[in-house]
Amino acid sequence: MDIGVVFQCDPPASEVVRLAKQAETLGFSHVWTFDSHLLWEEPFVIYSQILAQTSRVMVGPMVTNPGTRDWTVTASLFATLNEMFGNRTVCGIGRGDSALRTLGYKPTTIAELRECVTLIRELAHGREADYKGRPVHFPWVKDGQLDMWIAAYGPRALALAGEVGDGYILQLADPDIAAWMIGSVRAAAEKAGRDPLSVKFCVAAPAYVGDDLAHQRDQTRWFGGMVGNHVADIVERYGESGAVPQALTDYIRARKGYDYAEHGRAGNTHTDFVPDEIVDRFCLLGPIEAHLEKLERLRELGVDQFALYLQHDDKENTLQAYGEKIIPALSQPAR
């Protein structure tokens, strides 16, 4: 199993670059960042510095969206970075949340996401694509490569991931929910005539290594609020009809709203509705052994990568613990 890490683009950008370099030294396979340009700094500028100062890690957004940039511009950003640094980018993409809502926009449609994924991948590979009825291509792309990983919770987005995604991103680390989601993506891939095993799976969630579980829960409770924000949209559309697992719909009943000014922030003031049980299920907390136990369960389900969010007050120690203890253990064959 690969291990990636997810950073926010808080200033100074040099600190994000420093942590990315440290992650590569420690054996991490991927460096991801949030992409929400009103809340944090512009990630693609930072990617250029990360790629210039590393040699191996894959770099990309977790996740971008079809709504904040022209699709051809997004494709050109990836293709240019790949030309400069040797096909070392990956595109995580979804319908859009904070990047769009802070502008007063709604998430894009599934149809738009499908068209966007197809266009960006085709252009980044140097192939011709249809853009609003017009054939377009980048004549300067040679031997381009870009995998498109689709983030999803709802049934239509899960189907899209199976139908056209190179990978699927699930932003929570509960093995039971992961099994349900992975099964849905694989079923959609098979129905579309694809090899279900060709779709890679990434589980992304906060990880905090240590012994003070109460403190770790407080530091990562924000994540349950973020996930709940996505789930609320699904419940509004489908009701509690089984479109997503009941474990996801139950806990948001006490949700009263969401403040994007505190999006992804430890200690935010609007996630009191998230119970400890959900924090424990969605995140990886506790000593090294607890992390390894859950990661082994996820690996058995077919998860190819775990990407840990580092939005808490002990980034350095958790990063170091993963590099020294967890990554070496997961490099061994599954038990």
Side-chain angles (χ1 to χ4, degrees):
M1 177 188 284
D2 287 338
I3 300 293
V5 61
V6 188
F7 298 120
Q8 288 172 343
C9 295
D10 285 312
S14 58
E15 178 67 4
V16 181
V17 176
R18 183 189 71 81
L19 289 169
K21 291 167 62 179
Q22 184 177 347
E24 178 174 83
T25 300
L26 290 168
F28 285 77
S29 62
H30 290 66
V31 171
W32 307 85
T33 75
F34 284 51
D35 178 13
S36 193
H37 61 287
L38 291 186
L39 299 179
W40 299 287
E41 294 184 319
E42 168 57 37
F44 281 92
V45 178
I46 300 173
Y47 295 161
S48 189
Q49 287 294 311
I50 293 173
L51 289 162
Q53 297 184 46
T54 58
S55 61
R56 179 185 53 78
V57 288
M58 299 293 293
V59 178
M62 187 177 285
V63 295
T64 193
N65 69 87
T68 51
R69 300 181 185 87
D70 181 274
W71 303 348
T72 61
V73 172
T74 302
S76 185
L77 285 167
F78 281 108
T80 301
L81 291 171
N82 282 339
E83 186 279 322
M84 294 172 68
F85 302 107
N87 289 336
R88 288 177 50 214
T89 66
V90 58
C91 181
I93 189 167
R95 292 177 57 216
D97 183 39
S98 62
L100 292 175
R101 294 186 193 274
T102 53
L103 294 170
Y105 300 150
K106 293 181 178 180
T108 56
T109 66
I110 295 295
E112 289 171 322
L113 180 56
R114 181 189 297 272
E115 292 176 13
C116 180
V117 166
T118 301
L119 178 102
I120 291 173
R121 180 166 48 209
E122 293 300 291
L123 290 180
H125 280 78
R127 300 188 289 257
E128 185 177 280
D130 180 86
Y131 181 61
K132 299 180 179 179
R134 177 188 180 93
V136 293
H137 79 290
F138 298 148
W140 45 270
V141 172
K142 308 295 181 186
D143 302 317
Q145 174 66 40
L146 181 67
D147 283 350
M148 303 294 294
W149 292 56
I150 297 174
Y153 296 104
R156 294 176 63 212
L158 289 168
L160 180 66
E163 291 162 2
V164 303
D166 298 299
Y168 163 59
I169 297 170
L170 172 61
Q171 290 165 305
L172 58 84
D174 179 89
D176 293 334
I177 296 174
W180 193 97
M181 298 289 191
I182 289 170
S184 297
V185 172
R186 284 180 171 160
E190 187 170 17
K191 186 176 181 180
R194 304 180 68 195
D195 177 1
L197 298 180
S198 69
V199 183
K200 300 295 185 182
F201 294 98
C202 174
V203 162
Y208 194 140
V209 176
D211 297 318
D212 188 345
L213 194 56
H215 178 72
Q216 292 175 355
R217 286 169 175 158
D218 287 342
Q219 284 285 300
T220 56
R221 199 174 305 275
W222 64 267
F223 185 67
M226 187 182 83
V227 172
N229 201 48
H230 293 288
V231 174
D233 278 349
I234 299 168
V235 172
E236 182 179 351
R237 176 181 291 270
Y238 297 99
E240 297 187 18
S241 61
V244 296
Q246 186 176 344
L248 277 177
T249 59
D250 282 351
Y251 85 97
I252 68 164
R253 291 193 181 113
R255 178 182 179 273
K256 295 182 174 63
Y258 195 80
D259 182 359
Y260 278 95
E262 297 183 322
H263 184 63
R265 304 283 187 187
N268 62 35
T269 60
H270 58 277
T271 57
D272 290 345
F273 73 94
V274 181
D276 287 350
E277 177 193 1
I278 288 293
V279 180
D280 293 347
R281 290 181 66 174
F282 286 9
C283 304
L284 275 76
L285 309 176
I288 293 286
E289 294 73 22
H291 291 246
L292 285 172
E293 181 181 356
K294 183 175 275 194
L295 289 170
E296 286 288 359
R297 291 180 65 194
L298 291 170
R299 179 158 69 165
E300 289 170 3
L301 294 174
V303 173
D304 299 284
Q305 180 186 161
F306 172 65
L308 60 114
Y309 285 98
L310 272 188
Q311 283 75 52
H312 54 65
D313 61 1
D314 200 22
K315 297 180 180 68
E316 298 275 357
N317 285 336
T318 294
L319 198 68
Q320 198 75 23
Y322 263 72
E324 293 178 355
K325 302 292 185 181
I326 292 174
I327 290 175
L330 292 173
S331 68
Q332 304 300 316
R335 294 195 298 266

